[in-house]
């Protein structure tokens, strides 16, 4: 089992130095040889995965994070009094925004919750003004996270190889794991398989990849802060639990308790020690700093109309947001293509149109 990571947070909201790397500095983004061809191949692989799931379930799921564990609505509060180096992008002005958030499981197919797998969060924040990457503007900003900081699908090449193994062993999970363990980068490729199977409301969550942070570069993290959430850190899924144990325990929690999270950034200060692609940035040397908080009052996280709407009609993609928060690195360039084409296939097969809500009044919950 992977040892849980408890990231330190800078008490004075100041990183270890003032050498913040500009987002467009030389060396921040390095395009790999043959990258575009590999990205195209990966996109086609993920669409084939979607079609394999469609053949089994007669419904087209996402290409990744396809199993919803719950959906909630709340508030995203940008902290007052941030120092200048943290007043970047949407964090330039303190204030409160409405937000919706989806808990999910990152598996290539629908599996019971007792199957060890990474988990994630996707959030859509409303009322975020400014030029958007995709041009259209309903004043929303999307963020996505996984419950571990390591980027195992760190290049289009590695993703293509792992996806090829998965496709060849679609009905033989043991063989797929065997091939992952035989890779030269097995410690990275197999990392997610050893994650502790925690309660969804108690998980630390990471953007894994880097993003433009106004003038600078940062990774993002979401960390539980509620007392009842912290108590759940010792809870874990048992092999004998029901196949929907994560969604039912999450629902029980949200119906009875307020959930709170700290939204933090980790700034890029040294390209040699913090390359945009490939590794985890040292949280002791380059600590996480809080820039916002999230609050979710007690509510039902398993409202069918909300869940189905999120599953079938909306997208949550970090390329959908401010120009000042552009995703960076080869993995994010791959996600831009793969996620967009996965969405189009999902809409086509399910015969629905993608919608982008402008606020909570358009959320069916």
């Amino acid at each position: 089992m992977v040892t849980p990571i408890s990231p330190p947070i800078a008490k004075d909201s100041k990183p270890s130095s003032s050498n913040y790397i500009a987002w467009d500095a030389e060396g921040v983004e390095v395009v790999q040889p043959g990258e575009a061809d590999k990205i195209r191949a990966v996109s086609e692989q993920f669409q084939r995965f979607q079609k394999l799931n469609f053949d089994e379930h007669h419904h087209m799921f996402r290409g990744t994070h396809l199993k919803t564990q719950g959906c909630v609505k709340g508030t995203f509060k940008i902290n007052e009094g941030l120092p200048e180096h943290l007043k970047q992008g949407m964090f330039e002005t303190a204030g409160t925004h409405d937000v919706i958030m989806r808990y999910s499981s990152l598996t290539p197919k629908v599996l019971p919750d007792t199957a060890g797998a990474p988990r994630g969060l996707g959030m859509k924040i409303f009322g975020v003004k400014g030029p958007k990457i995709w041009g259209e503007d309903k004043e929303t900003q999307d963020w996505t996270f996984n419950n571990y900081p390591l980027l195992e699908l760190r290049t289009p090449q590695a993703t293509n190889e792992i996806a090829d193994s998965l496709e060849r062993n679609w009905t033989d999970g043991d063989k797929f794991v065997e091939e992952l363990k035989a890779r030269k980068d097995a410690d990275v490729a197999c990392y997610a398989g050893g994650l502790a199977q925690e309660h969804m409301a108690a998980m630390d969550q990471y953007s894994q990849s880097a993003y433009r942070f106004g003038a600078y570069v940062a990774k993002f993290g979401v960390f539980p802060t509620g007392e009842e959430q912290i108590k759940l850190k010792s809870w874990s899924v048992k092999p004998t639990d029901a196949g929907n144990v994560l969604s039912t325990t999450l629902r029980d929690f949200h119906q009875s308790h307020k959930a709170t999270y700290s939204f933090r950034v980790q700034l890029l200060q040294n390209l040699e020690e913090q390359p945009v692609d490939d590794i985890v940035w040292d949280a002791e040397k380059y600590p996480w700093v809080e820039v916002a908080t999230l609050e979710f009052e007690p509510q039902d996280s398993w409202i069918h109309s909300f869940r189905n709407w999120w599953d079938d009609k909306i997208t949550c993609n970090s390329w959908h947001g401010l120009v000042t928060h552009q995703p960076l690195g080869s993995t994010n360039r791959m996600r831009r293509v793969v996620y967009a084409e996965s969405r189009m296939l999902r809409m086509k097969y399910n015969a629905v149109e993608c919608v982008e809500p402008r606020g909570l009044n358009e959320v069916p919950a």
Side-chain angles (χ1 to χ4, degrees):
M1 181 179 294
V2 174
T3 302
I5 298 173
S6 297
I9 179 171
K11 295 180 180 179
D12 58 358
S13 294
K14 296 180 180 178
S16 55
S17 79
S18 58
N19 298 320
Y20 313 120
I21 307 296
W23 74 274
D24 57 353
E26 183 178 356
V28 169
E29 292 211 85
V30 179
V31 178
Q32 306 296 324
E35 180 179 283
D37 291 339
K38 288 300 179 183
I39 288 175
R40 168 56 51 198
V42 169
S43 181
E44 292 172 354
Q45 287 170 315
F46 273 72
Q47 289 182 71
R48 290 196 293 272
F49 296 160
Q50 287 179 274
K51 291 175 182 178
L52 286 169
N53 279 318
F54 181 83
D55 290 344
E56 180 178 352
H57 300 282
H58 294 183
H59 191 83
M60 184 61 71
F61 299 113
R62 285 171 162 78
T64 182
H65 287 276
L66 59 155
K67 187 175 183 180
T68 298
Q69 302 292 358
C71 299
V72 290
K73 55 185 180 180
T75 55
F76 185 96
K77 299 181 179 179
I78 299 172
N79 290 359
E80 298 272 0
L82 290 175
E84 290 304 313
H85 66 279
L86 297 179
K87 289 183 177 180
Q88 304 293 325
M90 68 172 288
F91 304 95
E92 184 176 353
T93 304
T96 300
H97 299 262
D98 290 331
V99 62
I100 52 176
M101 189 167 77
R102 172 183 182 254
Y103 298 89
S104 63
S105 286
L106 173 55
T107 53
K109 58 179 71 176
V110 178
L111 297 174
D113 292 348
T114 50
R119 317 296 177 186
L121 290 178
M123 65 178 70
K124 189 178 291 290
I125 304 170
F126 299 112
V128 179
K129 302 180 184 296
K132 299 298 193 296
I133 297 170
W134 287 350
E136 59 76 35
D137 193 7
K138 291 290 185 72
E139 298 185 354
T140 50
Q141 171 71 45
D142 294 357
W143 297 110
T144 59
F145 303 87
N146 289 324
N147 68 324
Y148 56 106
L150 186 69
L151 192 62
E152 83 279 20
L153 301 178
R154 63 204 181 287
T155 65
Q157 174 69 40
T159 306
N160 177 237
E161 293 170 357
I162 292 172
D164 176 68
S165 175
L166 175 60
E167 187 171 8
R168 285 186 285 101
N169 300 293
W170 185 257
T171 59
D172 190 346
D174 291 339
K175 179 63 175 175
F176 172 59
V177 172
E178 180 183 325
E179 291 189 9
L180 285 185
K181 290 181 177 179
R183 290 178 58 86
K184 291 182 179 179
D185 62 348
D187 58 330
V188 175
C190 298
Y191 183 89
L195 292 170
Q197 296 303 304
E198 299 176 294
H199 194 286
M200 292 293 297
M203 294 178 182
D204 296 339
Q205 299 278 351
Y206 305 85
S207 69
Q208 298 181 317
S209 54
Y211 294 77
R212 180 178 174 183
F213 184 59
Y216 308 118
V217 178
K219 292 185 179 182
F220 299 92
V222 177
F223 306 97
T225 56
E227 182 179 351
E228 295 301 320
Q229 291 165 272
I230 302 304
K231 289 179 182 178
L232 290 172
K233 285 285 187 181
S234 60
W235 183 94
S236 63
V237 175
K238 300 186 294 293
T240 55
D241 282 334
N244 64 342
V245 61
L246 289 177
S247 57
T248 56
T249 54
L250 181 66
R251 186 184 194 187
D252 289 343
F253 173 81
H254 270 294
Q255 286 182 315
S256 304
H257 303 95
K258 179 178 180 178
T260 59
Y261 294 89
S262 172
F263 191 100
R264 305 174 190 171
V265 300
Q266 187 183 28
L267 286 167
L268 171 62
Q269 300 179 64
N270 185 321
L271 274 171
E272 291 186 2
E273 297 181 355
Q274 298 172 278
V276 166
D277 293 312
D278 205 18
I279 68 170
V280 177
W281 296 351
D282 187 341
E284 292 288 345
K285 193 169 184 178
Y286 308 105
W288 292 95
V289 184
E290 183 178 279
V291 292
T293 57
L294 292 109
E295 296 183 1
F296 300 92
E297 295 296 334
Q299 61 190 281
D300 189 350
S301 62
W302 197 250
I303 297 174
H304 294 302
S305 57
F306 192 2
R307 176 178 56 81
N308 291 334
W309 174 78
W310 197 309
D311 281 346
D312 291 343
K313 292 189 176 182
I314 74 167
T315 184
C316 190
N317 182 339
S318 292
W319 280 96
H320 180 261
L322 293 173
V323 171
T324 50
H325 292 311
Q326 175 185 320
L328 302 173
S330 62
T331 295
N332 276 325
R333 290 192 293 275
M334 176 174 61
R335 287 171 173 167
R336 181 173 191 166
V337 175
V338 173
Y339 288 5
E341 296 191 351
S342 167
R343 179 199 66 196
M344 288 188 290
L345 188 66
R346 180 163 52 100
M347 301 300 162
K348 176 182 177 181
Y349 272 62
N350 292 335
V352 298
E353 293 185 4
C354 183
V355 299
E356 181 61 27
R358 187 179 290 275
L360 287 182
N361 62 313
E362 297 180 18
V363 178

